[in-house]
PDB file of all heavy atoms in Angstrom:
ATOM      1  N   LEU A  41     -41.443-161.034  32.901  1.00 92.00           N
ATOM      2  CA  LEU A  41     -42.895-161.124  32.875  1.00 92.00           C
ATOM      3  C   LEU A  41     -43.307-162.453  32.248  1.00 92.00           C
ATOM      4  O   LEU A  41     -42.716-162.891  31.263  1.00 92.00           O
ATOM      5  CB  LEU A  41     -43.448-159.961  32.040  1.00 92.00           C
ATOM      6  CG  LEU A  41     -44.933-159.925  31.750  1.00 92.00           C
ATOM      7  CD1 LEU A  41     -45.727-159.703  33.033  1.00 92.00           C
ATOM      8  CD2 LEU A  41     -45.240-158.823  30.740  1.00 92.00           C
ATOM      9  N   HIS A  42     -44.296-163.091  32.842  1.00 91.00           N
ATOM     10  CA  HIS A  42     -44.895-164.277  32.237  1.00 91.00           C
ATOM     11  C   HIS A  42     -46.403-164.169  32.417  1.00 91.00           C
ATOM     12  O   HIS A  42     -46.870-163.751  33.476  1.00 91.00           O
ATOM     13  CB  HIS A  42     -44.375-165.561  32.886  1.00 91.00           C
ATOM     14  CG  HIS A  42     -44.732-166.780  32.106  1.00 91.00           C
ATOM     15  ND1 HIS A  42     -45.958-167.402  32.220  1.00 91.00           N
ATOM     16  CD2 HIS A  42     -44.041-167.476  31.185  1.00 91.00           C
ATOM     17  CE1 HIS A  42     -45.996-168.438  31.397  1.00 91.00           C
ATOM     18  NE2 HIS A  42     -44.844-168.501  30.757  1.00 91.00           N
ATOM     19  N   PRO A  43     -47.173-164.532  31.402  1.00 86.00           N
ATOM     20  CA  PRO A  43     -48.616-164.375  31.510  1.00 86.00           C
ATOM     21  C   PRO A  43     -49.298-165.386  32.440  1.00 86.00           C
ATOM     22  O   PRO A  43     -50.350-165.087  32.992  1.00 86.00           O
ATOM     23  CB  PRO A  43     -49.115-164.544  30.079  1.00 86.00           C
ATOM     24  CG  PRO A  43     -48.044-165.290  29.384  1.00 86.00           C
ATOM     25  CD  PRO A  43     -46.762-164.949  30.066  1.00 86.00           C
ATOM     26  N   GLN A  44     -48.696-166.567  32.658  1.00 88.00           N
ATOM     27  CA  GLN A  44     -49.370-167.571  33.486  1.00 88.00           C
ATOM     28  C   GLN A  44     -48.374-168.652  33.920  1.00 88.00           C
ATOM     29  O   GLN A  44     -48.297-169.722  33.333  1.00 88.00           O
ATOM     30  CB  GLN A  44     -50.540-168.193  32.734  1.00 88.00           C
ATOM     31  CG  GLN A  44     -51.441-169.012  33.623  1.00 88.00           C
ATOM     32  CD  GLN A  44     -52.624-169.563  32.859  1.00 88.00           C
ATOM     33  OE1 GLN A  44     -52.630-169.651  31.628  1.00 88.00           O
ATOM     34  NE2 GLN A  44     -53.646-169.956  33.597  1.00 88.00           N
ATOM     35  N   LEU A  45     -47.625-168.367  34.967  1.00 91.00           N
ATOM     36  CA  LEU A  45     -46.602-169.307  35.434  1.00 91.00           C
ATOM     37  C   LEU A  45     -47.168-170.642  35.899  1.00 91.00           C
ATOM     38  O   LEU A  45     -46.458-171.641  35.919  1.00 91.00           O
ATOM     39  CB  LEU A  45     -45.781-168.684  36.567  1.00 91.00           C
ATOM     40  CG  LEU A  45     -44.722-167.689  36.138  1.00 91.00           C
ATOM     41  CD1 LEU A  45     -44.132-166.989  37.360  1.00 91.00           C
ATOM     42  CD2 LEU A  45     -43.631-168.358  35.333  1.00 91.00           C
ATOM     43  N   CYS A  46     -48.441-170.685  36.270  1.00 86.00           N
ATOM     44  CA  CYS A  46     -49.030-171.941  36.754  1.00 86.00           C
ATOM     45  C   CYS A  46     -49.367-172.894  35.603  1.00 86.00           C
ATOM     46  O   CYS A  46     -49.699-174.049  35.836  1.00 86.00           O
ATOM     47  CB  CYS A  46     -50.256-171.676  37.612  1.00 86.00           C
ATOM     48  SG  CYS A  46     -51.618-170.869  36.743  1.00 86.00           S
ATOM     49  N   ALA A  47     -49.261-172.451  34.365  1.00 87.00           N
ATOM     50  CA  ALA A  47     -49.522-173.314  33.210  1.00 87.00           C
ATOM     51  C   ALA A  47     -48.289-174.177  32.920  1.00 87.00           C
ATOM     52  O   ALA A  47     -47.200-173.913  33.420  1.00 87.00           O
ATOM     53  CB  ALA A  47     -49.868-172.465  31.993  1.00 87.00           C
ATOM     54  N   ASP A  48     -48.473-175.206  32.099  1.00 85.00           N
ATOM     55  CA  ASP A  48     -47.352-176.095  31.759  1.00 85.00           C
ATOM     56  C   ASP A  48     -46.167-175.335  31.195  1.00 85.00           C
ATOM     57  O   ASP A  48     -45.022-175.621  31.524  1.00 85.00           O
ATOM     58  CB  ASP A  48     -47.790-177.165  30.754  1.00 85.00           C
ATOM     59  CG  ASP A  48     -48.689-178.219  31.389  1.00 85.00           C
ATOM     60  OD1 ASP A  48     -48.696-178.331  32.641  1.00 85.00           O
ATOM     61  OD2 ASP A  48     -49.379-178.926  30.636  1.00 85.00           O
ATOM     62  N   ASP A  49     -46.432-174.357  30.338  1.00 90.00           N
ATOM     63  CA  ASP A  49     -45.310-173.611  29.770  1.00 90.00           C
ATOM     64  C   ASP A  49     -44.658-172.714  30.819  1.00 90.00           C
ATOM     65  O   ASP A  49     -43.504-172.332  30.675  1.00 90.00           O
ATOM     66  CB  ASP A  49     -45.726-172.812  28.538  1.00 90.00           C
ATOM     67  CG  ASP A  49     -46.633-171.637  28.862  1.00 90.00           C
ATOM     68  OD1 ASP A  49     -47.597-171.809  29.629  1.00 90.00           O
ATOM     69  OD2 ASP A  49     -46.363-170.543  28.339  1.00 90.00           O
ATOM     70  N   GLY A  50     -45.352-172.429  31.909  1.00 91.00           N
ATOM     71  CA  GLY A  50     -44.754-171.682  33.009  1.00 91.00           C
ATOM     72  C   GLY A  50     -43.650-172.478  33.679  1.00 91.00           C
ATOM     73  O   GLY A  50     -42.583-171.943  34.004  1.00 91.00           O
ATOM     74  N   ASP A  51     -43.882-173.765  33.882  1.00 91.00           N
ATOM     75  CA  ASP A  51     -42.840-174.646  34.427  1.00 91.00           C
ATOM     76  C   ASP A  51     -41.633-174.701  33.503  1.00 91.00           C
ATOM     77  O   ASP A  51     -40.492-174.623  33.959  1.00 91.00           O
ATOM     78  CB  ASP A  51     -43.385-176.068  34.622  1.00 91.00           C
ATOM     79  CG  ASP A  51     -43.815-176.343  36.038  1.00 91.00           C
ATOM     80  OD1 ASP A  51     -43.733-175.443  36.892  1.00 91.00           O
ATOM     81  OD2 ASP A  51     -44.235-177.486  36.300  1.00 91.00           O
ATOM     82  N   ARG A  52     -41.878-174.842  32.207  1.00 93.00           N
ATOM     83  CA  ARG A  52     -40.774-174.870  31.243  1.00 93.00           C
ATOM     84  C   ARG A  52     -40.004-173.552  31.273  1.00 93.00           C
ATOM     85  O   ARG A  52     -38.775-173.533  31.239  1.00 93.00           O
ATOM     86  CB  ARG A  52     -41.297-175.163  29.833  1.00 93.00           C
ATOM     87  CG  ARG A  52     -41.737-176.592  29.639  1.00 93.00           C
ATOM     88  CD  ARG A  52     -41.989-176.943  28.181  1.00 93.00           C
ATOM     89  NE  ARG A  52     -42.957-176.078  27.528  1.00 93.00           N
ATOM     90  CZ  ARG A  52     -44.275-176.290  27.504  1.00 93.00           C
ATOM     91  NH1 ARG A  52     -44.784-177.353  28.102  1.00 93.00           N
ATOM     92  NH2 ARG A  52     -45.082-175.462  26.874  1.00 93.00           N
ATOM     93  N   TYR A  53     -40.731-172.465  31.344  1.00 93.00           N
ATOM     94  CA  TYR A  53     -40.113-171.142  31.408  1.00 93.00           C
ATOM     95  C   TYR A  53     -39.219-171.025  32.639  1.00 93.00           C
ATOM     96  O   TYR A  53     -38.071-170.585  32.549  1.00 93.00           O
ATOM     97  CB  TYR A  53     -41.216-170.084  31.424  1.00 93.00           C
ATOM     98  CG  TYR A  53     -40.733-168.667  31.505  1.00 93.00           C
ATOM     99  CD1 TYR A  53     -40.297-167.996  30.366  1.00 93.00           C
ATOM    100  CD2 TYR A  53     -40.728-167.979  32.714  1.00 93.00           C
ATOM    101  CE1 TYR A  53     -39.861-166.673  30.430  1.00 93.00           C
ATOM    102  CE2 TYR A  53     -40.304-166.663  32.783  1.00 93.00           C
ATOM    103  CZ  TYR A  53     -39.868-166.019  31.643  1.00 93.00           C
ATOM    104  OH  TYR A  53     -39.438-164.720  31.723  1.00 93.00           O
ATOM    105  N   LEU A  54     -39.729-171.422  33.801  1.00 94.00           N
ATOM    106  CA  LEU A  54     -38.936-171.360  35.026  1.00 94.00           C
ATOM    107  C   LEU A  54     -37.675-172.209  34.918  1.00 94.00           C
ATOM    108  O   LEU A  54     -36.593-171.775  35.312  1.00 94.00           O
ATOM    109  CB  LEU A  54     -39.761-171.828  36.224  1.00 94.00           C
ATOM    110  CG  LEU A  54     -40.698-170.816  36.845  1.00 94.00           C
ATOM    111  CD1 LEU A  54     -41.566-171.479  37.911  1.00 94.00           C
ATOM    112  CD2 LEU A  54     -39.931-169.653  37.437  1.00 94.00           C
ATOM    113  N   ARG A  55     -37.817-173.413  34.380  1.00 95.00           N
ATOM    114  CA  ARG A  55     -36.640-174.294  34.243  1.00 95.00           C
ATOM    115  C   ARG A  55     -35.577-173.651  33.353  1.00 95.00           C
ATOM    116  O   ARG A  55     -34.399-173.620  33.707  1.00 95.00           O
ATOM    117  CB  ARG A  55     -37.057-175.647  33.659  1.00 95.00           C
ATOM    118  CG  ARG A  55     -37.743-176.546  34.640  1.00 95.00           C
ATOM    119  CD  ARG A  55     -38.068-177.896  33.992  1.00 95.00           C
ATOM    120  NE  ARG A  55     -38.833-178.716  34.883  1.00 95.00           N
ATOM    121  CZ  ARG A  55     -40.155-178.870  34.824  1.00 95.00           C
ATOM    122  NH1 ARG A  55     -40.863-178.257  33.887  1.00 95.00           N
ATOM    123  NH2 ARG A  55     -40.774-179.633  35.685  1.00 95.00           N
ATOM    124  N   GLU A  56     -35.986-173.168  32.210  1.00 94.00           N
ATOM    125  CA  GLU A  56     -35.023-172.558  31.285  1.00 94.00           C
ATOM    126  C   GLU A  56     -34.397-171.307  31.874  1.00 94.00           C
ATOM    127  O   GLU A  56     -33.188-171.087  31.766  1.00 94.00           O
ATOM    128  CB  GLU A  56     -35.692-172.234  29.949  1.00 94.00           C
ATOM    129  CG  GLU A  56     -36.071-173.447  29.138  1.00 94.00           C
ATOM    130  CD  GLU A  56     -34.866-174.323  28.809  1.00 94.00           C
ATOM    131  OE1 GLU A  56     -33.814-173.780  28.422  1.00 94.00           O
ATOM    132  OE2 GLU A  56     -34.979-175.554  28.960  1.00 94.00           O
TER     133      GLU A  56
END
Side-chain angles (χ1 to χ4, degrees):
L41 174 67
H42 193 277
Q44 192 177 19
L45 282 171
C46 63
D48 288 342
D49 70 313
D51 262 2
R52 287 192 304 271
Y53 179 81
L54 278 173
R55 284 183 185 100
E56 291 301 316

